[in-house]
Amino acid sequence: MSDMKIGTMTVKAGLAEMLKGGVIMDVTNAEQAKTAEEAGACAVMALERVPSDIRADGGVARMSDPEMIQEIQKSVTIPVMAKARIGHFVEAQILQSLEVDYIDESEVLTPADEANHINKWKFTVPFVCGAVNLGEALRRISEGAAMIRTKGEAGTGNVVEAVRHMRTITGDIRQLAGMDEDELFMAAKELRAPIELVQWVAKNGKLPVVNFSAGGLATPADAALMMQLGAEGVFVGSGIFKSEDPAGRGKAIVEATTHYKDPEVLARVSAGLKKAMIGMEIKDIGEENLIQHRGW
Amino acid sequence: MPDYEHLTVGVLALQGAFREHAIALEKCGATARKIRRRRDLAGLDALIIPGGESTTIGKLMVSYHLLDEIKGIGAEGLPIFGTCAGLVMLARELVEGDQPLLGLMDITVRRNAFGRQVKSFEAALEIPALGAEGPSGIPAGGGQPHGPFPGIFIRAPWIESAGAGVEVLAEYDGHAIAARQDKMLVTAFHPELTDDLRLHELFLQIMGGSDPAKT
């Protein structure tokens, strides 16, 4: 049909709208993908190693093997996302040709370009990008990101950084919303973000795209905490498949995300879960080893 | 626009674009109520099942004991509007795959029929049931666009076949993408992601009994 348009910002951001209120789970093979779908995940992130293993193994972390991604695509009907390195537009081209449903230009992998992120406008497939504050979120959106997630500190099982980043973004938005229109030009300069996006956020009091939380969530209460802080959904990486009972914990986190304001449900789903992943103190990791500083 | 203030419409709020449906309903003047638990269903005039991931919504409806409950009140005549995943949920049967369904409409549906996300698209749709100026003859929402409806298709399903009691309201590329049966309305696309309220208004008219097709 001649009037049909693909790859528009509306359909890219529209898929993120459909994922809202849901849990996106990291999976490393088809079997885990099925477990995630069965537990109620609204999408899966296909990757070779979950962040806690990447952290432990060290070395360069890259895009996953296309064969593994395709096996996961065959095994589930929910959307399949995959990660490309920051700035690695060829990995993104490969993932687009595999028809993944979303690309995460992710700091969890080793960055390929220390100055430039991928020009996401050139792609039909939508991108989600991490951010620690409003300026970073708006820079990613100006490059074409159709969805934002807080970075948190991936692979730690410690929610403290995700909380910091979500509070920073919502606090930054509140500050903009309270400004006089004349002050927005200076704010844009300080945020290092395009004035048009700054004006939009000031007027609407929210990001122009969906904002999820990620990085360190490990329990149903963590997921509900992030939702109450303003996340529109959550990514859970190592927290599910590094726990003792991924199926049970996955289902509990999904329920907690839906019923995030309902302490009765939260108490019920938190009860009797087997062990969570152990988790790490952020200060024990060392500033130079923090993943959240990747990306600019 | 007619007065819909007395109508309370539930929006299934397990996952997906439920907030956008609630906003559209309130712009039309109706009252929206988010439905997460069985007790939320009491006293509803109608229900919307939003877009989202149909596999996920189906599973959650089972685990929160909403599937049988909604199947029951739907069979008794509660008007239901389903968009995208909501259309899948209302289907009697799927062409491929398996997931919990309400089965309230006599349609067979193909999930993700247009393809994965890279095939998601926008297209202008001709929907004769909306008329030139919306179902009430007054531009909905005080100045909505006339003419074609902005169709937003995201990993969208289509209706592969429909029973005799089903009226197909629109087609795209030879596939049925909007339909009604009694007081049930479905679209494969997402009116809730647009500012165009005509389909929400059509639903409110169908459920209120002031049926534009029969007056």
Side-chain angles (χ1 to χ4, degrees):
Chain A
M1 304 288 270
S2 58
D3 62 343
M4 157 209 243
K5 290 176 287 196
I6 59 165
T8 61
M9 196 45 152
T10 300
V11 299
K12 288 174 170 178
L15 178 55
E17 299 284 346
M18 296 309 133
L19 300 174
K20 279 188 311 197
V23 181
I24 300 169
M25 301 183 191
D26 277 4
V27 297
T28 59
N29 56 47
E31 192 195 336
Q32 287 185 355
K34 281 188 208 149
T35 304
E37 185 174 66
E38 197 52 44
C42 66
V44 291
M45 177 75 69
L47 75 177
E48 235 148 35
R49 292 176 290 169
V50 294
S52 66
D53 286 338
I54 292 175
R55 198 176 270 290
D57 297 352
V60 173
R62 311 179 178 91
M63 177 189 80
S64 297
D65 184 340
E67 198 174 280
M68 175 274 245
I69 293 169
Q70 284 169 317
E71 273 168 27
I72 289 175
Q73 285 175 314
K74 273 183 242 154
S75 71
V76 294
T77 60
I78 54 178
V80 176
M81 303 183 165
K83 289 181 193 285
R85 282 180 267 179
I86 289 172
H88 206 314
F89 52 85
V90 174
E91 285 187 348
Q93 290 164 2
I94 292 168
L95 292 174
Q96 174 164 285
S97 82
L98 296 175
E99 299 196 348
V100 301
D101 294 295
Y102 243 93
I103 295 177
D104 183 3
E105 186 182 20
S106 177
E107 69 284 359
V108 167
L109 305 184
T110 310
D113 187 326
E114 293 192 331
N116 305 293
H117 282 250
I118 296 170
N119 177 357
K120 294 165 273 285
W121 295 111
K122 288 184 172 172
F123 289 80
T124 306
V125 66
F127 283 75
V128 54
C129 288
V132 301
N133 56 40
L134 180 61
E136 190 173 18
L138 295 182
R139 287 194 292 281
R140 296 296 83 79
I141 295 166
S142 74
E143 296 155 4
M147 179 179 183
I148 292 295
R149 55 171 175 76
T150 57
K151 286 182 180 171
E153 189 57 32
T156 61
N158 188 341
V159 78
V160 65
E161 296 300 303
V163 168
R164 187 193 318 282
H165 300 158
M166 188 56 74
R167 281 201 185 274
T168 303
I169 290 175
T170 50
D172 289 348
I173 291 173
R174 273 197 302 272
Q175 213 178 348
L176 274 192
M179 280 184 187
D180 183 274
E181 61 180 314
D182 298 357
E183 295 167 337
L184 295 177
F185 298 96
M186 193 59 193
K189 197 175 159 192
E190 280 166 7
L191 288 166
R192 295 189 290 130
I195 181 65
E196 295 75 17
L197 287 175
V198 170
Q199 286 165 332
W200 195 96
V201 171
K203 186 173 164 217
N204 294 281
K206 65 193 239 0
L207 283 179
V209 300
V210 167
N211 184 21
F212 270 44
S213 179
L217 285 68
T219 69
D222 287 351
L225 173 67
M226 297 318 302
M227 294 296 287
Q228 288 200 24
L229 286 172
E232 297 181 281
V234 299
F235 284 84
V236 185
S238 324
I240 290 173
F241 287 97
K242 283 290 167 186
S243 73
E244 259 184 30
D245 175 18
R249 182 164 294 266
K251 191 162 182 285
I253 290 177
V254 169
E255 288 206 33
T257 305
T258 305
H259 299 287
Y260 66 95
K261 281 191 201 158
D262 191 335
E264 268 173 53
V265 175
L266 298 176
R268 178 173 56 76
V269 303
S270 302
L273 287 180
K274 291 182 183 161
K275 271 193 194 144
M277 69 180 286
I278 293 175
M280 304 162 87
E281 264 279 20
I282 302 299
K283 68 176 183 328
D284 296 340
I285 300 170
E287 191 69 17
E288 71 284 6
N289 295 320
L290 291 183
I291 285 174
Q292 60 184 271
H293 297 321
R294 296 169 169 177
W296 21 89
Chain B
M1 200 160 41
D3 184 9
Y4 300 113
E5 205 176 328
H6 58 290
L7 298 173
T8 300
V9 182
V11 183
L12 189 69
L14 300 179
Q15 194 268 313
F18 50 84
R19 190 180 57 201
E20 288 65 25
H21 272 298
I23 292 168
L25 286 169
E26 307 221 311
K27 279 189 194 160
C28 289
T31 304
R33 184 198 298 167
K34 289 180 185 147
I35 309 295
R36 292 195 170 90
R37 305 175 76 166
R38 251 188 309 183
R39 62 178 181 228
D40 302 331
L41 290 167
L44 285 185
D45 296 309
L47 178 69
I48 291 184
I49 304 178
E53 285 309 315
S54 61
T55 314
T56 309
I57 291 175
K59 283 187 194 306
L60 296 181
M61 282 176 79
V62 173
S63 52
Y64 305 152
H65 310 290
L66 285 163
L67 192 85
D68 288 339
E69 194 80 11
I70 293 174
K71 204 186 270 188
I73 54 180
E76 285 165 17
L78 183 81
I80 305 181
F81 180 15
T83 60
C84 194
L87 176 152
V88 174
M89 286 308 307
L90 282 165
R92 182 172 48 77
E93 183 175 24
L94 298 178
V95 179
E96 253 177 50
D98 185 31
Q99 70 160 79
L101 298 173
L102 289 165
L104 289 165
M105 262 181 94
D106 192 11
I107 52 175
T108 302
V109 168
R110 185 180 291 277
R111 289 186 301 184
N112 305 139
F114 291 97
R116 296 182 192 275
Q117 174 61 16
V118 291
K119 308 273 169 56
S120 291
F121 64 97
E122 291 181 71
L125 304 173
E126 294 301 333
I127 308 177
L130 294 180
E133 294 183 318
S136 65
I138 303 161
Q144 280 301 314
H146 298 185
F149 194 91
I152 301 173
F153 293 79
I154 296 169
R155 289 168 42 91
W158 70 47
I159 299 167
E160 189 112 340
S161 62
V166 178
E167 181 192 356
V168 172
L169 300 179
E171 290 192 352
Y172 183 78
D173 207 12
H175 302 287
I177 42 98
R180 69 173 285 201
Q181 177 182 351
D182 304 323
K183 293 196 170 189
M184 280 173 292
L185 178 67
V186 289
T187 64
F189 50 93
H190 294 282
E192 75 277 17
L193 294 184
T194 72
D195 293 327
D196 197 321
L197 298 172
R198 285 178 292 171
L199 279 163
H200 285 87
E201 206 199 343
L202 178 68
F203 178 58
L204 291 171
Q205 292 209 352
I206 288 171
M207 61 177 270
S210 60
D211 190 334
K214 290 177 188 160
T215 51

